[in-house]
Amino acid sequence: MQYRSEVEAADALKSAYQEIRAEISKVIVGQDEVIKFVLISIFSNGHCLLVGVPGLAKTLLVQTVAQVLDLDFKRIQFTPDLMPSDIIGSEILGEDRNFKFIKGPVFSNIILADEINRTPPKTQAALLEAMQEKAVTAAGITHTLSKPFFVLATQNPIEQEGTYPLPEAQLDRFMFNVTLGYPSFKEELEVVKNTTGTVKASVNKKLNAEQITYFQQLVRNVPVSDNVLEYAVKLVGKTRPNGELATPQIKRLLNWGAGPRASQFLILGAKCHAVLNGKYSPDIEDVRAVAKPILSHRIVRSYHAEADGLSANDIIEQLF
């Protein structure tokens, strides 16, 4: 794929993004913010955690994105008895009396980790190693995963009995933590109308794996000014109650703040957000646009915040 300049390539990404959104909207009604963050995380080479009650089309959204981007898609249903080998694969004894590695579902471009908090930490960690290293190790041999590689995990926020919540260190691997809300009356009306008949909407492929890998590198190459870098790092620094940038109010509301990975994701997310909106360099507004889903799962609220009824997003709003 050849573009005369990175400006032309950035324009091509913006155009492709708009076409992708149009294709996804044929199948998914509403959920504009969710779709935006899922696509930003793909083009930023990150991963996404979706939190929402059952029936909000989380699986359908991922399947549709995979179809439009012409990527391999695998769905893993996480259960208490799921083993690491069920995800990464295992060695079996072949007919020639030699062991051979049978690849698991993680060897795909897009992985839907459905209800990731329903499986024990050992199995969660098997997937999270793949997320970080983009490779898995079995019997001492490292196997590289397909490119691009994107994990979209889901959690049900209501039923927590018999679940294994992701520790903060593992949550930190996810670029975004996105909460899905219920559809509006009009949106739900359209959903019911579209899904209770015989006609099924079909989508067209708009990109392929090679183009996505190219655009991921393009996003990394986007220049960013020092004042935007400083704003992002200061924003993260303000979340740390023991840090020098924290206000007395933040020290009261938070027990723990975000780590350096949050600063990295803020800049990457801002770069991608800028390009998708027709800009060639991010500004402070782009950092703010991606800040909530990046910071919300990286801060730990104190008893005072919970007693005051303040959510993580309310506290992030105060940081602005």
Side-chain angles (χ1 to χ4, degrees), residues 23-27 63-64 67-68 201-205:
E23 289 299 317
I24 293 173
S25 66
K26 292 179 184 177
V27 179
Q63 285 176 329
T64 307
Q67 285 173 1
V68 175
S202 60
V203 295
N204 300 310
K205 297 177 172 123

Side-chain angles (χ1 to χ4, degrees), residues 17-310:
Y17 170 72
Q18 290 170 342
E19 290 177 12
I20 291 165
R21 291 290 297 263
E23 289 299 317
I24 293 173
S25 66
K26 292 179 184 177
V27 179
I28 304 295
V29 177
Q31 305 291 12
D32 291 336
E33 283 283 289
V34 178
I35 294 167
K36 178 181 81 173
F37 288 127
V38 167
L39 292 175
I40 287 176
S41 58
I42 290 176
F43 289 122
S44 302
N45 202 13
H47 306 285
C48 194
L49 179 65
L50 286 185
V51 180
V53 298
L56 294 181
K58 297 187 289 291
T59 305
L60 182 61
L61 168 61
V62 189
Q63 285 176 329
T64 307
V65 168
Q67 285 173 1
V68 175
L69 300 181
D70 195 19
L71 297 174
D72 290 332
F73 165 75
K74 291 282 193 316
R75 178 175 182 261
I76 306 172
Q77 182 63 53
F78 280 72
T79 56
D81 60 349
L82 197 73
M83 298 294 290
S85 58
D86 296 326
I87 295 174
I88 65 173
S90 58
E91 286 207 323
I92 65 165
L93 190 63
E95 292 177 359
D96 57 357
R97 297 291 177 182
N98 290 320
F99 282 99
K100 61 179 180 179
F101 181 67
I102 303 298
K103 292 179 178 180
V106 77
F107 287 87
S108 192
N109 296 125
I110 294 187
I111 306 295
L112 173 61
D114 221 352
E115 295 195 284
I116 193 171
N117 57 333
R118 293 234 169 262
T119 203
K122 184 179 180 180
T123 308
Q124 290 174 357
L127 179 67
L128 293 163
E129 178 202 355
M131 290 167 58
Q132 184 67 21
E133 308 300 332
K134 303 288 195 298
V136 295
T137 304
I141 299 172
T142 301
H143 304 270
T144 305
L145 298 174
S146 310
K147 286 185 180 181
F149 177 71
F150 171 65
V151 172
L152 196 146
T154 70
Q155 284 191 176
N156 177 355
I158 301 173
E159 189 188 357
Q160 294 302 321
E161 190 176 338
T163 61
Y164 304 85
L166 287 171
E168 275 69 24
Q170 294 182 346
L171 278 173
D172 197 43
R173 307 279 177 92
F174 289 96
M175 180 175 185
F176 289 128
N177 178 21
V178 184
T179 302
L180 282 83
Y182 288 110
S184 66
F185 176 77
K186 272 188 174 180
E187 288 171 346
E188 191 162 352
L189 205 61
E190 194 175 339
V191 168
V192 174
K193 184 179 174 183
N194 293 348
T195 56
T196 53
T198 55
V199 179
K200 275 194 173 183
S202 60
V203 295
N204 300 310
K205 297 177 172 123
K206 290 297 175 184
L207 287 179
N208 58 36
E210 184 188 352
Q211 290 171 306
I212 293 164
T213 306
Y214 173 85
F215 285 136
Q216 286 176 339
Q217 189 58 47
L218 174 74
V219 167
R220 282 194 165 268
N221 290 343
V222 170
V224 55
S225 61
D226 288 345
N227 71 307
V228 174
L229 276 170
E230 287 172 14
Y231 179 82
V233 174
K234 280 181 181 175
L235 188 63
V236 173
K238 287 179 186 177
T239 68
R240 300 166 187 163
N242 297 326
E244 56 190 29
L245 297 174
T247 63
Q249 175 73 341
I250 291 301
K251 289 179 180 179
R252 177 179 172 272
L253 296 177
L254 293 181
N255 287 336
W256 292 99
R261 198 177 270 139
S263 303
Q264 295 168 335
F265 281 143
L266 277 177
I267 291 301
L268 271 176
K271 285 181 175 186
C272 189
H273 188 272
V275 173
L276 298 183
N277 285 278
K279 293 184 277 187
Y280 304 119
S281 180
D283 54 30
I284 287 171
E285 287 307 309
D286 293 303
V287 176
R288 289 188 174 193
V290 297
K292 287 182 181 178
I294 287 174
L295 295 176
S296 61
H297 58 301
R298 292 183 164 88
I299 59 177
V300 180
R301 293 176 299 153
S302 69
Y303 165 78
H304 299 291
E306 292 183 16
D308 293 349
L310 292 173

